[in-house]
Amino acid sequence: MDDHAVGSQRHLSRRSLIATGALAAGALGASAPVGTAFGPSPARAAAGVTKKVTIYAEQLPGGLFGYGLAPGQATVPGPLLEMYEGDTLEITLVNTTNQRLSIHPHGVDYSTESDGSPLNASFNNPGETRTYVWRSREMFAAAGRRFMPGSAGYWHYHDHAMGTDHGTAGVAKGLYGALIVRRRGDILPEKQFTVVFHDMTINNRMAPETPMFEANLGQRVEWIAIGHGNLFHTFHLHAHRWADNRTGMLEGPSDPSLVIDNKDLNPGSSFGFQVLAGEGVGPGAWMYHCHVQNHSDGGMAGIFLVRNADGSMPPGAEEAIHRFQGHTHTHGS
Amino acid sequence: MDDHAVGSQRHLSRRSLIATGALAAGALGASAPVGTAFGPSPARAAAGVTKKVTIYAEQLPGGLFGYGLAPGQATVPGPLLEMYEGDTLEITLVNTTNQRLSIHPHGVDYSTESDGSPLNASFNNPGETRTYVWRSREMFAAAGRRFMPGSAGYWHYHDHAMGTDHGTAGVAKGLYGALIVRRRGDILPEKQFTVVFHDMTINNRMAPETPMFEANLGQRVEWIAIGHGNLFHTFHLHAHRWADNRTGMLEGPSDPSLVIDNKDLNPGSSFGFQVLAGEGVGPGAWMYHCHVQNHSDGGMAGIFLVRNADGSMPPGAEEAIHRFQGHTHTHGS
Amino acid sequence: MDDHAVGSQRHLSRRSLIATGALAAGALGASAPVGTAFGPSPARAAAGVTKKVTIYAEQLPGGLFGYGLAPGQATVPGPLLEMYEGDTLEITLVNTTNQRLSIHPHGVDYSTESDGSPLNASFNNPGETRTYVWRSREMFAAAGRRFMPGSAGYWHYHDHAMGTDHGTAGVAKGLYGALIVRRRGDILPEKQFTVVFHDMTINNRMAPETPMFEANLGQRVEWIAIGHGNLFHTFHLHAHRWADNRTGMLEGPSDPSLVIDNKDLNPGSSFGFQVLAGEGVGPGAWMYHCHVQNHSDGGMAGIFLVRNADGSMPPGAEEAIHRFQGHTHTHGS
């Protein structure tokens, strides 16, 4: 777990940034493992700890803004943040820009001072540094046999102050990222991809510049999908599926959850799941895309490249990538 | 529970109307307890009973229409109606207006005469009184180990006859409300809020006129969220979360449900959940809003004011409310 | 089960086509049982088998295209395909048209050759015949107590190659249908209806030409709902409800699933459920419709005709059907 903990992401920043399908990673958005000692084993139990993270909000080329774990390393989306139920994250946000901005999380606990909203005067003025505290916890008993839910989930964070009191300009320009709160015992993935459906873009890019996510056959891959902006979307992944519940896996034979391969991904919502790359279907260039027809035609599509188990390219994949790079934005035959 | 039963809502009408975030409650939409002997205890078992309710459909200032439990008391949204699985509601709808209208419920059982649709000639002509019967029931065994679902849920009712055969004008003008069917043993709340996302409004109001819902720190608050109109929306509540299942609470450690704080709220859909006000985050002025950016910027936002446990104002809350009243409708800095 | 198996649908084609609410079945879209020895009993256990099906893609009057199980029998939507977890379907698609097209499934396993996408050069040129292989499987153990999900679900298939690389023209013109993968032990229905919400149409028709689905009081009816196109929709069925899980039924008293009667039905998504026709509410002409107000007003509504148990017409149903045929497309007054 150490390789995966947020506290250690600072020295893993280059790898974890790449893993999020970050803008800086180039046209194909090549991804790499977040950590090394990081197989499909149950998460280790641990007492709740407090981790301190410094995040830098920076202006990027092309009118974009990003969050990063070190100066000069901001990306779109920002770094993937993770914690276990019971942990606390102390986020020191350094605003290196000339804009008012903030960081507002979903799913975790925070006081009004850490709300990240102008409503509560919780934001960074230009050049200002401010600390936001995010807490999490396990489920706890309510009356009867029921439990008030804990914090575990596939969440996200975003600006809530640039442009409008809801951070509309900040979100539009790339100030967003994924936040995972795990329950102890959760299965850890080998690779992680952050996919943000945001107006007509994926991670603020359009095909063929959308991220190409890569894994080897059989690797346990975790997808975190986030919606933003003004439009409705549906996330579809070819040749893979997941349970529409907290983990994406069935809790047992009597788990009643829907199994799906297409899910609404609307502004402010997020979900996550794990698949075994190419399991049962083989390697290849598999599409992920918005299933709204004029969105996919307009560029909301990308490639999930499942390589052979040894990392080599499977037959046909190069040709598919070539087609993708040349044949997007088709609005009619 | 008596204070909460529909049969007794007639003499509780002022309080229950206020509790729904009713239009008449003023700009801040102050809310108050629905009942007094009404703590977080399991619901009492009871045999199915039939309750008779008279509802008055009335024209309101500003071109609105509303349902009310007494003449001159119509509100937007209409009164919160509740029943237990097995109960029957006999709704006598008095149409005091010059428009054709009806009342159509979701989730419960009714014959075609009580459908509330012009298709089945089930509506009130101008000035007409008509009775609609809504029944409910518990789950019952299907073949195998499965059960056909009972009626328990966070439902709603609305006009299905004004303007068009689908009641488009009636819904647009405020003829809608919440309907809860409880399963015996469900935990009862201390406060209840009805939130209707309807085109660019919340309960037919825009910020800063949207309802301000109030509770004291730790109170068990029930939210009922309803979607109407022509647009898609997502409901987000700051600093609180819920399980995406029937009750909003986990049924136990193996309940696989997603835990969320943002959910699609589209026309005809509804959901509900209970939170402990400010639990784990403290008191303050917490925002609830549509997370579609141009909807929140356009006025689909309001305040959930969590007071101190003794009812006094927490630090910063007055300032936040003041900001909210002056700084809405921001479409760019 | 034999009557229901895909392998035998070729000699059942007329009936199963009708059961899907097919375009060719006339304005009232009368439906009939898919099979005879087909009651509400648990599905029989069986080893996984491979079934071969030939599907003909054909041009239809009115600019439409359809899939069919025999030459000259293409319909919109296409035939309902079914399999059990573990089964394989070998689809031989005969393209009788002058357009590039394909067949792309959701929910099942396929290699890149059977992807149905131009990305993977998986399509039929005009006049070409090509075989697509769809496999399915049961859940299997992951690390810990969890299971990777199996294929069981209410899925669908559609063109992915006509007009654009995402099949936008093919989908728009009717190249879509339902695919069910059952888990062994699932309860089989007596009747089945496929409902596709596609832009402003239901099964590419608008009221009053939308399909009228028919059943006798108490019959176990299975609905398969599919979304396509560019718009968002919500599916609502009057006087019936279902659990928002894999089967639409509760797995037992502790199943935490939401019970709903209105659900988002957006492009690429699908769901299914079973109801007992008119159970608890009686026979009659019940509406199903999109609950987005300007969609239902614009023609996205139809009738679920629940006849008396002996098949005779219940009181008021003829009048309701007459009203529906004359009173649709009401945009005011």
Side-chain angles (χ1 to χ4, degrees), chain B residues 305-324:
Chain B
L305 175 61
V306 179
R307 292 173 174 269
N308 295 319
D310 64 3
S312 60
M313 281 292 266
E318 300 271 21
E319 293 85 342
I321 293 167
H322 178 76
R323 277 182 218 111
F324 180 74

PDB file of all heavy atoms in Angstrom, chain B residues 305-324:
ATOM      1  N   LEU B 305     -28.929  25.121   5.888  1.00  0.00           N
ATOM      2  CA  LEU B 305     -28.349  25.775   7.065  1.00  0.00           C
ATOM      3  C   LEU B 305     -28.367  24.809   8.241  1.00  0.00           C
ATOM      4  O   LEU B 305     -29.433  24.487   8.775  1.00  0.00           O
ATOM      5  CB  LEU B 305     -29.122  27.051   7.417  1.00  0.00           C
ATOM      6  CG  LEU B 305     -28.673  27.753   8.707  1.00  0.00           C
ATOM      7  CD1 LEU B 305     -27.215  28.206   8.618  1.00  0.00           C
ATOM      8  CD2 LEU B 305     -29.578  28.942   9.013  1.00  0.00           C
ATOM      9  N   VAL B 306     -27.193  24.351   8.642  1.00  0.00           N
ATOM     10  CA  VAL B 306     -27.073  23.495   9.824  1.00  0.00           C
ATOM     11  C   VAL B 306     -26.670  24.387  10.991  1.00  0.00           C
ATOM     12  O   VAL B 306     -25.549  24.907  11.046  1.00  0.00           O
ATOM     13  CB  VAL B 306     -26.046  22.370   9.606  1.00  0.00           C
ATOM     14  CG1 VAL B 306     -25.934  21.507  10.863  1.00  0.00           C
ATOM     15  CG2 VAL B 306     -26.433  21.517   8.403  1.00  0.00           C
ATOM     16  N   ARG B 307     -27.609  24.602  11.896  1.00  0.00           N
ATOM     17  CA  ARG B 307     -27.353  25.420  13.073  1.00  0.00           C
ATOM     18  C   ARG B 307     -26.592  24.609  14.127  1.00  0.00           C
ATOM     19  O   ARG B 307     -26.472  23.387  14.011  1.00  0.00           O
ATOM     20  CB  ARG B 307     -28.684  25.907  13.661  1.00  0.00           C
ATOM     21  CG  ARG B 307     -29.429  26.905  12.775  1.00  0.00           C
ATOM     22  CD  ARG B 307     -30.812  27.194  13.341  1.00  0.00           C
ATOM     23  NE  ARG B 307     -31.496  28.249  12.604  1.00  0.00           N
ATOM     24  CZ  ARG B 307     -31.420  29.550  12.922  1.00  0.00           C
ATOM     25  NH1 ARG B 307     -30.719  29.937  13.981  1.00  0.00           N
ATOM     26  NH2 ARG B 307     -32.048  30.439  12.194  1.00  0.00           N
ATOM     27  N   ASN B 308     -26.118  25.287  15.153  1.00  0.00           N
ATOM     28  CA  ASN B 308     -25.549  24.579  16.297  1.00  0.00           C
ATOM     29  C   ASN B 308     -26.623  23.690  16.925  1.00  0.00           C
ATOM     30  O   ASN B 308     -27.821  23.866  16.672  1.00  0.00           O
ATOM     31  CB  ASN B 308     -25.026  25.569  17.332  1.00  0.00           C
ATOM     32  CG  ASN B 308     -23.853  26.382  16.790  1.00  0.00           C
ATOM     33  OD1 ASN B 308     -22.980  25.844  16.102  1.00  0.00           O
ATOM     34  ND2 ASN B 308     -23.844  27.677  17.096  1.00  0.00           N
ATOM     35  N   ALA B 309     -26.201  22.737  17.744  1.00  0.00           N
ATOM     36  CA  ALA B 309     -27.148  21.781  18.322  1.00  0.00           C
ATOM     37  C   ALA B 309     -28.226  22.477  19.148  1.00  0.00           C
ATOM     38  O   ALA B 309     -29.356  21.987  19.251  1.00  0.00           O
ATOM     39  CB  ALA B 309     -26.400  20.759  19.192  1.00  0.00           C
ATOM     40  N   ASP B 310     -27.909  23.641  19.709  1.00  0.00           N
ATOM     41  CA  ASP B 310     -28.901  24.370  20.510  1.00  0.00           C
ATOM     42  C   ASP B 310     -29.737  25.330  19.665  1.00  0.00           C
ATOM     43  O   ASP B 310     -30.523  26.114  20.200  1.00  0.00           O
ATOM     44  CB  ASP B 310     -28.208  25.121  21.649  1.00  0.00           C
ATOM     45  CG  ASP B 310     -27.258  26.200  21.136  1.00  0.00           C
ATOM     46  OD1 ASP B 310     -27.179  26.411  19.900  1.00  0.00           O
ATOM     47  OD2 ASP B 310     -26.590  26.842  21.973  1.00  0.00           O
ATOM     48  N   GLY B 311     -29.545  25.299  18.346  1.00  0.00           N
ATOM     49  CA  GLY B 311     -30.350  26.140  17.470  1.00  0.00           C
ATOM     50  C   GLY B 311     -29.746  27.502  17.180  1.00  0.00           C
ATOM     51  O   GLY B 311     -30.271  28.247  16.344  1.00  0.00           O
ATOM     52  N   SER B 312     -28.644  27.830  17.821  1.00  0.00           N
ATOM     53  CA  SER B 312     -28.019  29.140  17.562  1.00  0.00           C
ATOM     54  C   SER B 312     -27.244  29.096  16.242  1.00  0.00           C
ATOM     55  O   SER B 312     -26.945  28.034  15.711  1.00  0.00           O
ATOM     56  CB  SER B 312     -27.090  29.507  18.715  1.00  0.00           C
ATOM     57  OG  SER B 312     -26.069  28.520  18.853  1.00  0.00           O
ATOM     58  N   MET B 313     -26.923  30.283  15.734  1.00  0.00           N
ATOM     59  CA  MET B 313     -26.234  30.379  14.450  1.00  0.00           C
ATOM     60  C   MET B 313     -24.749  30.079  14.620  1.00  0.00           C
ATOM     61  O   MET B 313     -24.093  30.634  15.516  1.00  0.00           O
ATOM     62  CB  MET B 313     -26.403  31.783  13.863  1.00  0.00           C
ATOM     63  CG  MET B 313     -27.746  32.006  13.202  1.00  0.00           C
ATOM     64  SD  MET B 313     -27.979  31.040  11.676  1.00  0.00           S
ATOM     65  CE  MET B 313     -27.443  32.247  10.457  1.00  0.00           C
ATOM     66  N   PRO B 314     -24.186  29.251  13.784  1.00  0.00           N
ATOM     67  CA  PRO B 314     -22.746  28.976  13.861  1.00  0.00           C
ATOM     68  C   PRO B 314     -21.949  30.124  13.251  1.00  0.00           C
ATOM     69  O   PRO B 314     -22.481  30.896  12.445  1.00  0.00           O
ATOM     70  CB  PRO B 314     -22.590  27.702  13.036  1.00  0.00           C
ATOM     71  CG  PRO B 314     -23.710  27.750  12.059  1.00  0.00           C
ATOM     72  CD  PRO B 314     -24.838  28.496  12.724  1.00  0.00           C
ATOM     73  N   PRO B 315     -20.673  30.252  13.615  1.00  0.00           N
ATOM     74  CA  PRO B 315     -19.832  31.317  13.065  1.00  0.00           C
ATOM     75  C   PRO B 315     -19.786  31.227  11.541  1.00  0.00           C
ATOM     76  O   PRO B 315     -19.662  30.142  10.975  1.00  0.00           O
ATOM     77  CB  PRO B 315     -18.447  31.027  13.657  1.00  0.00           C
ATOM     78  CG  PRO B 315     -18.691  30.150  14.832  1.00  0.00           C
ATOM     79  CD  PRO B 315     -19.950  29.393  14.542  1.00  0.00           C
ATOM     80  N   GLY B 316     -19.897  32.357  10.903  1.00  0.00           N
ATOM     81  CA  GLY B 316     -19.746  32.413   9.450  1.00  0.00           C
ATOM     82  C   GLY B 316     -21.018  32.198   8.664  1.00  0.00           C
ATOM     83  O   GLY B 316     -21.065  32.497   7.470  1.00  0.00           O
ATOM     84  N   ALA B 317     -22.051  31.657   9.309  1.00  0.00           N
ATOM     85  CA  ALA B 317     -23.255  31.312   8.555  1.00  0.00           C
ATOM     86  C   ALA B 317     -24.002  32.553   8.068  1.00  0.00           C
ATOM     87  O   ALA B 317     -24.471  32.603   6.929  1.00  0.00           O
ATOM     88  CB  ALA B 317     -24.168  30.427   9.394  1.00  0.00           C
ATOM     89  N   GLU B 318     -24.082  33.552   8.942  1.00  0.00           N
ATOM     90  CA  GLU B 318     -24.772  34.784   8.529  1.00  0.00           C
ATOM     91  C   GLU B 318     -24.086  35.393   7.311  1.00  0.00           C
ATOM     92  O   GLU B 318     -24.734  35.829   6.357  1.00  0.00           O
ATOM     93  CB  GLU B 318     -24.762  35.818   9.680  1.00  0.00           C
ATOM     94  CG  GLU B 318     -25.439  35.384  10.948  1.00  0.00           C
ATOM     95  CD  GLU B 318     -26.921  35.729  10.983  1.00  0.00           C
ATOM     96  OE1 GLU B 318     -27.507  35.947   9.897  1.00  0.00           O
ATOM     97  OE2 GLU B 318     -27.492  35.756  12.092  1.00  0.00           O
ATOM     98  N   GLU B 319     -22.763  35.410   7.358  1.00  0.00           N
ATOM     99  CA  GLU B 319     -22.007  35.984   6.243  1.00  0.00           C
ATOM    100  C   GLU B 319     -22.255  35.179   4.961  1.00  0.00           C
ATOM    101  O   GLU B 319     -22.406  35.747   3.873  1.00  0.00           O
ATOM    102  CB  GLU B 319     -20.513  35.991   6.563  1.00  0.00           C
ATOM    103  CG  GLU B 319     -20.119  36.928   7.699  1.00  0.00           C
ATOM    104  CD  GLU B 319     -20.272  36.299   9.091  1.00  0.00           C
ATOM    105  OE1 GLU B 319     -20.988  35.286   9.219  1.00  0.00           O
ATOM    106  OE2 GLU B 319     -19.683  36.835  10.048  1.00  0.00           O
ATOM    107  N   ALA B 320     -22.294  33.872   5.092  1.00  0.00           N
ATOM    108  CA  ALA B 320     -22.522  33.038   3.904  1.00  0.00           C
ATOM    109  C   ALA B 320     -23.902  33.305   3.313  1.00  0.00           C
ATOM    110  O   ALA B 320     -24.058  33.415   2.092  1.00  0.00           O
ATOM    111  CB  ALA B 320     -22.363  31.558   4.272  1.00  0.00           C
ATOM    112  N   ILE B 321     -24.896  33.422   4.178  1.00  0.00           N
ATOM    113  CA  ILE B 321     -26.254  33.692   3.693  1.00  0.00           C
ATOM    114  C   ILE B 321     -26.291  35.054   3.003  1.00  0.00           C
ATOM    115  O   ILE B 321     -26.897  35.211   1.937  1.00  0.00           O
ATOM    116  CB  ILE B 321     -27.255  33.626   4.870  1.00  0.00           C
ATOM    117  CG1 ILE B 321     -27.339  32.198   5.396  1.00  0.00           C
ATOM    118  CG2 ILE B 321     -28.629  34.124   4.433  1.00  0.00           C
ATOM    119  CD1 ILE B 321     -28.038  32.070   6.739  1.00  0.00           C
ATOM    120  N   HIS B 322     -25.615  36.016   3.602  1.00  0.00           N
ATOM    121  CA  HIS B 322     -25.567  37.337   2.989  1.00  0.00           C
ATOM    122  C   HIS B 322     -24.915  37.265   1.610  1.00  0.00           C
ATOM    123  O   HIS B 322     -25.411  37.849   0.642  1.00  0.00           O
ATOM    124  CB  HIS B 322     -24.800  38.292   3.902  1.00  0.00           C
ATOM    125  CG  HIS B 322     -24.653  39.663   3.330  1.00  0.00           C
ATOM    126  ND1 HIS B 322     -25.688  40.572   3.302  1.00  0.00           N
ATOM    127  CD2 HIS B 322     -23.596  40.276   2.719  1.00  0.00           C
ATOM    128  CE1 HIS B 322     -25.275  41.689   2.705  1.00  0.00           C
ATOM    129  NE2 HIS B 322     -24.012  41.531   2.358  1.00  0.00           N
ATOM    130  N   ARG B 323     -23.802  36.529   1.508  1.00  0.00           N
ATOM    131  CA  ARG B 323     -23.153  36.381   0.203  1.00  0.00           C
ATOM    132  C   ARG B 323     -24.098  35.717  -0.800  1.00  0.00           C
ATOM    133  O   ARG B 323     -24.190  36.133  -1.952  1.00  0.00           O
ATOM    134  CB  ARG B 323     -21.915  35.489   0.338  1.00  0.00           C
ATOM    135  CG  ARG B 323     -20.682  36.204   0.815  1.00  0.00           C
ATOM    136  CD  ARG B 323     -19.487  35.263   0.870  1.00  0.00           C
ATOM    137  NE  ARG B 323     -18.688  35.595   2.035  1.00  0.00           N
ATOM    138  CZ  ARG B 323     -18.561  34.841   3.117  1.00  0.00           C
ATOM    139  NH1 ARG B 323     -19.167  33.662   3.179  1.00  0.00           N
ATOM    140  NH2 ARG B 323     -17.830  35.239   4.122  1.00  0.00           N
ATOM    141  N   PHE B 324     -24.772  34.687  -0.344  1.00  0.00           N
ATOM    142  CA  PHE B 324     -25.676  33.965  -1.240  1.00  0.00           C
ATOM    143  C   PHE B 324     -26.748  34.894  -1.785  1.00  0.00           C
ATOM    144  O   PHE B 324     -27.086  34.857  -2.968  1.00  0.00           O
ATOM    145  CB  PHE B 324     -26.323  32.796  -0.495  1.00  0.00           C
ATOM    146  CG  PHE B 324     -27.258  31.992  -1.343  1.00  0.00           C
ATOM    147  CD1 PHE B 324     -26.759  31.125  -2.306  1.00  0.00           C
ATOM    148  CD2 PHE B 324     -28.631  32.100  -1.200  1.00  0.00           C
ATOM    149  CE1 PHE B 324     -27.616  30.379  -3.104  1.00  0.00           C
ATOM    150  CE2 PHE B 324     -29.499  31.362  -1.997  1.00  0.00           C
ATOM    151  CZ  PHE B 324     -28.985  30.501  -2.941  1.00  0.00           C
TER     152      PHE B 324
END
